């Protein structure tokens, strides 16, 4: 349940009457910050304060990203504070904050944000959970005027909402659409498990999305009651983190904006959460979800938890728990790869929730026919750990990884981005924890880690799983005939009756790949002064592109492009790219399995991901200066001696089984299979193949496809970050530079012929689902990304279309929660690209919504783009462009990864800002006219089988 709770309870996010308050209550006493009752030292860079009215604030200077500031308004109230008649209004109220307030009339706030250079949804957002509501702004500038404006927005959230009846009624459809979008087998399973385990408490009756009847019918008075009661100064914290120098000036701005804030009504005590279930023995629960892609088995042990002050003793006391869980999860990972293992994945977790209960859980995923065996594995592996503990090798590995995390956090802390720090401050305040620095955490916990023994870990695990009772739940796509609860209980007792033996003895491995031959010699070296990029070519043909930065202290990002990629996937072997991406690194090396590598690299920052791109096989990694040489050795070993081990295929096939089961019951199925292929004119390399074709692929095919490319294909390695230039070049020389000569990259013009369908199509798909939601997908053919001047304009035009959908479909008619539009263009396939729009829909609205979106795009084609629309789309983009200049990810993916194969990308980097600033409404209007007319649109509608498409007459009547 821990996994499900963290997935579903935290985020019912986003997207207001100055009111005549009742008699103003007296100012409240501010709540103390956690450090007031702790021996932990708070972050000295953070300024903690409170206003006389009880509102608290935290101000912290931080200089990444440059020139930006993160604001948060934390309300320490959420769905748990609702009455029965208000279920869902905490979340609904969060939406209403964007629909009219004292300084921002309805319909103006998002446009205001855009004019400030902020993206709606990215830089401006909010979320509601059980115990909190959070508003967030990522300001595009750090000057006092922008800060004052941002705080005024937050002030309106706190005390200036209009909450007009018209806007409430308009937003009901959006909330219902969000509720519909959240409805899934996973969410339904979460609710069922929550009810089964915690049904005696308030929690299952306060799921943040709320009750449909309340969403449809709640009048303004119910909103006012919640807002006046819980949006009060003593329950608010303002957090300001960013690139400013004068914290005192920020504190004055906070006092100016929030100093006059007063409670608008009497306070109420937090409602009781109820009583935890008293369980002695096993309570078995069955919940069927035939549309689920898997069967889930969970063992939950719930015990009361009272809040503990965050102090040195508590921090050290929790370390053995973390190590014990890491060791147990490592065992599950090893077992999952073995032949005939009856489960796909398994995990153990422990968490305290709401200062109310501790939950210790084992969660196992399996095929439906294996649920008894999977339950037995979960029960017995937990019991094996509880009875026999762990081994020294397991503890050594877990400790090394824990120490490494502490060290890396301390090393990278100086360049952390402000949004992450602001979110951390919010989390510490909600959990009543002290905001400490990573350096202090390392100084405190590093030495303590080294003192932890096997007995300490065993004692911690036994304490956490000490409950006398267990909830054992089986859910998903399994059928259990007869008395399911009795069958589950019997399976558990049967598993428990089997004696467990101690874990296998430790085995030691040593790294086998250190020598790849004579170090490579450099044939060509060039420094690009204006971009501060170093370009090298070794005599064997390996290309190396380097950019040394200080954007992320102690971190290095790498990308290696090898061979020709997915473009060469054999037509008779559809799905080979998908199988290769899931098996290559999972198959380890010739001398070491992936589990051997995890043991050997414990405490190291080493590891590569792999994915076939359209024109190259791409390896990606993140490492540190200390581990760079070892990381390069691992990459070179992967290219020269991949393992292609059968356990990788076993795990991949299990995951594909689940994937295709989900395809049958979700709107993503037709999109990933038929529609993706259709958009490429039926080219076999696009879209997932039918299941039987995918399951026919094997490792021999993967090996035959990849080996020659790895052995002879071109290699371009890009490295960006905090490294020593000459030491890095030397490390590459000893690894990739030492390989045999590489071939030049072939042009392959015949393989680059892909085209959008010549004629518009209209396709209807039916999925096997009782969940009443569908999807509308619209497509307009455009062009490729090879002309960057045109491509930037296509992207900006898509942003304007996206904004029109937001205004018309979401805000004006409340038709959907999150309409989306974008531009997809290729720089591999000449002429290939398209605009796409996707909307989650109520099935009855499919045809009506398709007509509306087509009209919106056609209006854009007919009447063009306005100057005001262009500026609202351009300004957030310019903010992003400025920020990416200090982002390793941008330099790696957009510039360095292909800087020698495609040197024009360096000119693209040089021209970005000036070109975007030069974009005119005439240019965008011409592109809209060319591409977005109604005569060019293709559409796909995906509906559940319970909802037949409306007849033409029904559709006409609905309109």
């Amino acid at each position: 349940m821990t996994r499900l709770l963290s997935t579903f309870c935290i985020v019912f996010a986003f997207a207001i009457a100055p009111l005549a308050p009742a008699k103003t209550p007296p100012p409240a006493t501010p709540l103390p910050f956690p450090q007031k009752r702790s021996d932990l030292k708070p972050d000295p860079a953070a300024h903690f304060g409170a206003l006389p009215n009880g509102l608290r604030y935290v101000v912290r200077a931080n200089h990444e990203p440059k020139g930006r500031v993160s604001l948060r308004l934390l309300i320490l109230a959420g769905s748990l504070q609702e009455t029965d008649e208000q279920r869902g209004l905490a979340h609904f109220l969060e939406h209403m904050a964007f629909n009219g307030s004292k300084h921002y009339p309805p319909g103006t706030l998002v446009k205001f944000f855009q004019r400030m250079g902020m993206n709606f949804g990215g830089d401006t957002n909010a979320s509601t959970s059980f115990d909190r509501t959070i508003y967030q702004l990522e300001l595009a500038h750090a000057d006092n005027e922008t800060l004052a404006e941002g705080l005024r927005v937050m002030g309106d959230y706190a005390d200036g909402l209009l909450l007009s009846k018209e806007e409430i009624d308009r937003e009901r459809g959006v909330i219902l659409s969000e509720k519909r979008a959240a409805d899934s087998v996973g969410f339904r399973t979460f609710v069922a498990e929550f009810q089964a385990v915690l049904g005696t408490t308030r929690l299952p009756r306060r799921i943040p999305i709320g009750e449909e009847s309340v969403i449809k019918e709640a009048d303004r008075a119910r909103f006012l009651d919640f807002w006046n009661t819980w949006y009060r100064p003593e329950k608010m914290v303002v957090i300001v983190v960013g690139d400013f120098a004068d914290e005192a000036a920020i504190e004055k701005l906070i006092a100016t904006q929030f100093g006059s804030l007063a409670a608008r009504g009497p306070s109420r005590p937090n409602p009781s959460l109820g009583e935890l279930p008293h369980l002695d023995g096993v309570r078995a629960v069955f919940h069927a979800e035939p549309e689920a892609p898997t069967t889930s088995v969970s063992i939950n042990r719930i015990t009361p938890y009272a809040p503990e002050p965050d102090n040195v003793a508590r921090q050290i006391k929790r370390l053995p728990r973390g190590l014990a869980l890491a060791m147990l999860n490592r065992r599950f990972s090893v077992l999952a790869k073995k032949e005939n293992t009856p489960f796909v994945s398994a995990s153990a977790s422990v968490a305290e929730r709401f200062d109310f209960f501790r939950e210790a859980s084992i969660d196992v995923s399996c095929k439906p026919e294996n649920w008894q065996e999977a339950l037995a594995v979960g029960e017995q592996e937990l019991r094996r750990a509880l009875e026999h503990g762990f081994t020294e090798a397991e503890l050594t590995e877990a400790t090394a990884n824990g120490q490494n995390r502490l060290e890396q956090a301390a090393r990278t802390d100086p360049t952390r981005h402000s949004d992450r720090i602001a979110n951390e401050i919010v989390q510490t305040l909600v959990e009543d924890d002290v905001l400490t620095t990573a350096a202090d955490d390392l100084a405190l916990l590093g030495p303590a880690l080294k003192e932890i023994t096997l007995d300490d870990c065993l004692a911690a695990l036994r304490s956490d799983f000490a409950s006398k009772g267990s909830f054992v739940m089986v859910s998903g796509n399994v059928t259990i005939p007869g008395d399911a609860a009795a069958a589950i209980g019997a399976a558990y007792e049967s598993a428990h009756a089997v004696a467990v033996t101690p874990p296998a003895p430790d085995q030691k491995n040593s790294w086998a790949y250190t020598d790849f031959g004579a170090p490579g010699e450099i044939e060509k070296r060039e420094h690009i002064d204006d971009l501060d990029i170093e370009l090298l070519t070794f005599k064997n043909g390996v290309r190396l592109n380097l950019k040394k930065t200080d954007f992320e202290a102690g971190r290095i990002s790498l990308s290696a492009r090898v061979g020709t990629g997915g473009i060469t996937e054999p037509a008779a072997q559809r799905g080979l790219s998908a199988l290769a991406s899931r098996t290559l690194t999972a198959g380890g090396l010739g001398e070491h399995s992936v589990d051997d590598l995890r043991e050997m690299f414990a405490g190291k920052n080493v590891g590569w991901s792999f994915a076939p791109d359209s024109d190259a096989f791409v390896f990606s990694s993140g490492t540190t200066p200390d581990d760079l040489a070892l990381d390069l050795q691992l990459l070179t070993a992967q290219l020269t001696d991949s393992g292609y081990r059968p356990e990788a295929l076993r795990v991949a096939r299990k995951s594909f089984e689940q994937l295709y089961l989900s395809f049958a019951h979700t709107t993503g199925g037709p999109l990933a299979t038929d529609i993706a292929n259709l958009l490429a004119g039926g080219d076999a390399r696009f879209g997932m193949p039918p299941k039987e074709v995918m399951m026919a692929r094997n490792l021999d095919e993967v090996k035959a496809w990849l080996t020659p490319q790895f052995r002879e294909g071109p290699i371009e390695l890009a490295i960006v970050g905090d490294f020593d230039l000459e030491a890095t070049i030397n490390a590459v020389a000893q690894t990739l530079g030492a390989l045999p000569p590489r071939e030049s990259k072939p042009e392959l013009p015949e393989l680059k012929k892909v085209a959008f369908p010549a004629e518009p199509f209209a396709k209807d798909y039916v999925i096997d689902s009782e969940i009443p939601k569908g999807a509308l997908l619209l497509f307009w053919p455009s062009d490729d990304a090879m002309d960057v001047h045109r491509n930037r304009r296509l992207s900006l035009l898509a942003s304007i279309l996206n904004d029109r959908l937001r205004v018309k479909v979401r805000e004006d008619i409340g038709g959907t929660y999150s309409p989306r539009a974008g531009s997809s263009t290729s720089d591999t396939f000449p002429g290939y690209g398209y605009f796409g729009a996707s909307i989650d829909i109520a099935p009855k609205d499919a045809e009506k919504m398709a007509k509306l979106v087509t009209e919106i795009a056609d209006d854009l084609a007919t009447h063009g783009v306005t100057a005001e629309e262009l500026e609202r789309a351009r300004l957030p983009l310019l903010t992003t462009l400025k920020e990416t200049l200090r982002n390793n990810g941008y330099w790696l993916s957009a510039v360095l990864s292909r800087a020698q194969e495609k040197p024009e990308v360096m000119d693209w980097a040089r021209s970005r800002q000036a070109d975007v600033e030069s974009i005119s409404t005439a240019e965008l209007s011409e592109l809209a006219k060319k591409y977005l007319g109604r005569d060019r649109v293709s559409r796909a509608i995906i509906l559940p089988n319970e909802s037949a498409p409306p007849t033409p007459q029904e559709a006409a009547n609905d309109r």
Side-chain angles (χ1 to χ4, degrees):
M1 185 175 70
T2 297
R3 170 180 51 81
L4 288 169
L5 182 60
S6 61
T7 300
F8 291 109
C9 81
I10 300 301
V11 173
F12 277 103
F14 199 50
I16 328 198
L19 309 164
K23 184 177 180 181
T24 302
T29 302
L31 294 171
F33 285 103
Q35 59 264 27
K36 292 297 183 181
R37 51 187 180 279
S38 175
D39 52 0
L40 290 167
K41 183 176 72 173
D43 181 354
H47 290 234
F48 300 85
L51 301 181
N53 59 9
L55 180 141
R56 294 178 294 166
Y57 60 83
V58 184
V59 177
R60 188 189 190 280
N62 184 67
H63 304 298
E64 291 292 346
K66 299 292 184 184
R68 298 203 69 175
V69 176
S70 296
L71 300 185
R72 302 289 184 270
L73 174 63
L74 168 64
I75 313 293
L76 290 169
S79 61
L80 288 175
Q81 279 70 35
E82 297 165 346
T83 65
D84 285 345
E85 293 73 27
Q86 293 173 334
R87 284 177 291 178
L89 294 195
H91 169 246
F92 201 144
L93 184 63
E94 167 227 306
H95 277 241
M96 293 307 300
F98 296 82
N99 290 332
S101 62
K102 185 189 309 181
H103 297 100
Y104 307 95
T108 66
L109 186 59
V110 173
K111 293 180 179 180
F112 168 77
F113 288 143
Q114 291 168 333
R115 293 189 190 101
M116 289 181 70
M118 297 160 63
N119 277 308
F120 176 67
D123 296 327
T124 65
N125 218 321
S127 63
T128 303
S129 182
F130 289 92
D131 57 354
R132 76 202 74 169
T133 305
I134 303 165
Y135 298 94
Q136 63 185 65
L137 296 177
E138 302 298 332
L139 300 181
H141 309 286
D143 58 277
N144 280 356
E145 182 180 353
T146 301
L147 273 162
E149 196 68 60
L151 288 170
R152 184 163 74 164
V153 172
M154 292 296 196
D156 270 17
Y157 293 163
D159 193 38
L161 306 189
L162 298 179
L163 295 174
S164 72
K165 179 182 183 302
E166 295 76 15
E167 292 299 320
I168 289 173
D169 289 342
R170 190 196 307 269
E171 195 69 14
R172 295 186 201 275
V174 176
I175 304 290
L176 291 171
S177 173
E178 184 178 0
K179 184 177 177 65
R180 181 177 66 242
D183 193 5
S184 65
V185 294
F187 181 73
R188 293 181 177 194
T189 301
F190 156 70
V191 172
E193 187 170 7
F194 219 32
Q195 180 65 45
V197 176
L198 295 169
T200 59
T201 74
R202 186 181 185 85
L203 289 159
R205 299 189 297 277
R206 291 297 183 272
I207 306 298
I209 194 62
E211 295 295 317
E212 184 169 332
S213 60
V214 174
I215 296 168
K216 287 181 174 180
E217 300 167 8
D219 61 9
R220 187 170 184 266
R222 285 193 242 178
F223 286 86
L224 295 183
D225 180 70
F226 187 91
W227 188 53
N228 289 336
T229 301
W230 301 106
Y231 277 52
R232 49 195 313 111
E234 69 272 21
K235 284 193 168 290
M236 297 181 182
V237 189
V238 175
I239 295 105
V240 185
V241 182
D243 190 20
F244 46 78
D246 189 351
E247 289 90 346
I250 306 301
E251 294 182 40
K252 289 181 181 178
L253 289 174
I254 294 171
T256 299
Q257 180 59 57
F258 293 94
S260 61
L261 179 65
R264 296 175 299 274
S267 65
R268 293 179 195 155
N270 282 321
S272 169
L273 297 185
E275 295 291 330
L276 289 172
H278 298 286
L279 188 62
D280 189 357
V282 174
R283 180 178 297 172
V285 180
F286 175 61
H287 176 72
E289 284 290 348
E291 298 176 28
T294 186
T295 291
S296 298
V297 177
S298 63
I299 303 169
N300 294 307
R301 296 182 182 175
I302 304 295
T303 51
Y305 173 75
E308 305 171 77
D310 187 25
N311 53 32
V312 169
R314 177 173 174 258
Q315 292 283 330
I316 293 175
K317 183 181 75 173
R318 291 192 169 189
L319 287 176
R321 169 201 287 177
L323 295 178
L325 291 173
M327 291 185 283
L328 182 51
N329 284 321
R330 178 78 159 90
R331 289 184 182 178
F332 282 131
S333 176
V334 172
L335 284 172
K337 303 179 186 72
K338 294 187 178 298
E339 192 170 7
N340 298 320
T341 295
F343 67 94
V344 177
S345 62
S347 63
S349 58
V350 178
E352 285 86 24
R353 303 289 185 186
F354 310 112
D355 289 338
F356 182 48
F357 69 93
R358 177 182 287 121
E359 176 195 17
S361 300
I362 302 292
D363 293 287
V364 188
S365 172
C366 63
K367 291 183 177 181
E369 62 268 25
N370 294 334
W371 72 266
Q372 294 102 324
E373 294 89 345
L375 173 57
V377 170
E379 192 280 333
Q380 290 165 11
E381 286 307 313
L382 172 61
R383 189 155 41 89
R384 190 187 320 279
L386 292 172
E387 291 182 9
H388 301 290
F390 302 97
T391 69
E392 287 290 349
E394 288 176 318
L395 180 58
T396 298
E397 178 182 330
T399 302
N401 288 332
Q403 179 72 20
N404 182 59
R405 284 190 291 272
L406 290 170
E407 291 173 355
Q408 293 312 307
R411 185 174 289 128
T412 60
D413 190 61
T415 52
R416 272 200 305 163
H417 279 205
S418 296
D419 59 337
R420 292 182 58 193
I421 296 172
N423 291 339
E424 180 187 357
I425 293 171
V426 167
Q427 195 64 24
T428 59
L429 292 168
V430 170
E431 296 181 357
D432 208 26
D433 289 342
V434 179
L435 178 70
T436 57
T437 67
D440 285 345
D441 292 343
L442 175 61
L444 172 66
L445 302 178
L449 267 177
K450 298 173 184 176
E451 301 299 320
I452 294 173
T453 66
L454 290 172
D455 287 342
D456 295 332
C457 296
L458 178 57
L461 194 69
R462 286 174 173 172
S463 175
D464 286 333
F465 282 88
S467 172
K468 294 181 179 179
S470 295
F471 291 91
V472 181
M473 182 167 179
V474 178
S475 62
N477 60 351
V478 60
T479 301
I480 303 178
D483 188 338
I488 294 168
Y492 182 85
E493 294 300 336
S494 178
H496 188 72
V498 176
V500 291
T501 58
D506 297 332
Q507 293 183 340
K508 293 292 183 181
N509 294 284
S510 57
W511 178 232
Y513 300 91
T514 58
D515 186 0
F516 300 95
E521 298 179 15
I522 296 172
E523 182 174 80
K524 180 182 177 182
R525 181 169 180 174
E526 177 184 9
H527 186 75
I528 310 300
D529 292 337
D530 64 324
L531 300 178
D532 194 21
I533 290 172
E534 199 85 10
L535 305 179
L536 300 90
T537 303
F538 289 90
K539 287 186 176 180
N540 66 351
V542 170
R543 292 165 167 174
L544 174 62
N545 310 325
L546 301 162
K547 182 174 178 64
K548 182 175 170 61
T549 72
D550 60 0
F551 309 153
E552 296 179 59
R555 295 296 300 172
I556 302 171
S557 298
L558 304 94
S559 171
R561 290 169 51 85
V562 181
T564 52
I567 195 173
T568 62
E569 179 184 274
Q573 296 177 359
R574 279 197 75 187
L576 197 59
S577 291
L579 183 62
S581 67
R582 296 201 182 206
T583 57
L584 182 73
T585 57
L589 304 171
E591 296 296 323
H592 306 302
S593 71
V594 70
D595 288 312
D596 294 337
L597 294 175
R598 284 185 60 175
E599 184 268 325
M600 286 186 291
F601 295 156
K604 303 290 185 182
N605 301 280
V606 175
W608 293 81
S609 63
F610 170 79
D613 202 354
S614 59
D615 63 343
F617 297 105
V618 179
F619 292 85
S620 303
S621 182
T623 188
T624 64
D626 290 343
D627 295 325
L628 175 61
L630 180 58
D631 207 32
L632 290 168
Q633 289 176 0
L634 176 60
L635 171 63
T636 310
Q638 194 77 70
L639 293 176
T640 57
D641 192 24
S642 290
Y644 301 105
R645 294 170 181 267
E647 58 262 32
L649 182 61
R650 287 195 291 268
V651 173
R653 283 183 170 165
K654 289 178 181 178
S655 68
F656 284 129
E657 288 276 3
Q658 291 187 354
L659 181 65
Y660 279 92
L661 282 171
S662 73
F663 282 170
H665 304 296
T666 62
T667 57
L671 179 59
T673 53
D674 191 73
I675 297 173
N677 184 251
L678 180 62
L679 293 175
D683 191 304
R685 296 168 296 181
F686 290 75
M688 294 291 287
K691 179 183 176 182
E692 63 274 12
V693 175
M694 185 70 249
M695 301 305 280
R697 301 282 69 80
N698 59 65
L699 289 182
D700 289 339
E701 294 171 332
V702 174
K703 184 175 183 179
W705 185 39
L706 297 183
T707 298
Q709 304 240 23
F710 289 179
R711 184 177 59 240
E712 302 161 358
I715 297 176
E716 186 158 1
L717 175 67
I719 304 178
V720 180
D722 186 4
F723 56 80
D724 179 271
L725 184 64
E726 297 306 322
T728 299
I729 294 171
N730 184 54
V732 176
Q734 294 181 54
T735 50
L736 297 182
L739 295 177
R742 320 306 292 182
E743 296 177 346
S744 298
K745 192 162 190 171
E747 287 296 323
L748 305 174
E750 290 302 311
L751 296 180
K752 294 181 180 178
K753 294 180 179 179
V754 173
F756 198 89
E759 296 296 328
F761 61 83
K763 299 276 287 185
D764 294 323
Y765 297 89
V766 176
I767 55 173
D768 182 15
S769 177
E770 65 175 25
I771 296 175
K773 64 179 178 181
L776 167 67
L777 304 161
L778 298 175
F779 306 96
W780 298 260
S782 61
D783 216 320
D784 60 51
M786 298 178 188
D787 180 345
V788 72
H789 179 84
R790 178 185 61 214
N791 194 51
R792 288 170 181 150
R793 285 148 182 80
L794 292 175
S795 178
L796 203 58
L797 179 59
S799 295
I800 291 169
L801 176 59
N802 186 76
D803 199 55
R804 287 199 179 188
L805 294 181
R806 174 189 63 80
V807 173
K808 297 292 185 182
V809 179
R810 175 187 164 119
E811 295 186 359
D812 285 357
I813 67 171
T816 190
Y817 170 61
S818 183
R820 300 168 294 276
S823 172
S824 177
T825 55
S826 172
D827 61 6
T828 299
F829 304 104
Y832 185 63
Y834 55 86
F835 290 98
S838 61
I839 298 178
D840 299 322
I841 55 172
K844 68 180 180 61
D845 293 335
E847 294 291 346
K848 177 177 69 174
M849 201 65 70
K851 181 176 183 292
L852 175 61
V853 177
T854 300
E855 290 172 347
I856 292 169
D858 189 66
D859 181 72
L860 191 54
T862 303
H863 298 105
V865 173
T866 70
E868 190 254 358
E869 283 181 314
L870 171 57
E871 282 307 283
R872 289 193 292 107
R874 176 173 22 216
L875 291 172
L877 176 57
L878 290 173
T879 299
T880 300
L881 296 185
K882 176 185 175 183
E883 187 169 335
T884 57
L885 289 174
R886 291 185 58 80
N887 183 286
N888 284 342
Y890 161 73
W891 286 104
L892 185 70
S893 63
V895 185
L896 263 75
S897 64
R898 300 182 296 170
Q900 295 192 60
E901 176 192 338
K902 198 176 181 72
E904 58 265 37
V905 299
M906 292 186 285
D907 287 331
W908 295 358
R910 295 181 177 105
S911 67
R912 287 192 314 161
Q913 180 157 337
D915 191 23
V916 170
E917 289 174 343
S918 75
I919 294 174
S920 69
T921 56
E923 290 176 300
L924 297 187
S925 297
E926 184 61 31
L927 290 173
K929 181 179 180 181
K930 181 177 182 180
Y931 295 124
L932 291 177
R934 66 173 65 247
D935 59 328
R936 295 172 57 81
V937 66
S938 295
R939 72 113 177 102
I941 294 175
I942 309 170
L943 299 177
N945 54 9
E946 296 295 320
S947 305
T951 66
Q953 183 59 49
E954 288 172 333
N957 292 340
D958 202 15
R959 290 193 291 272

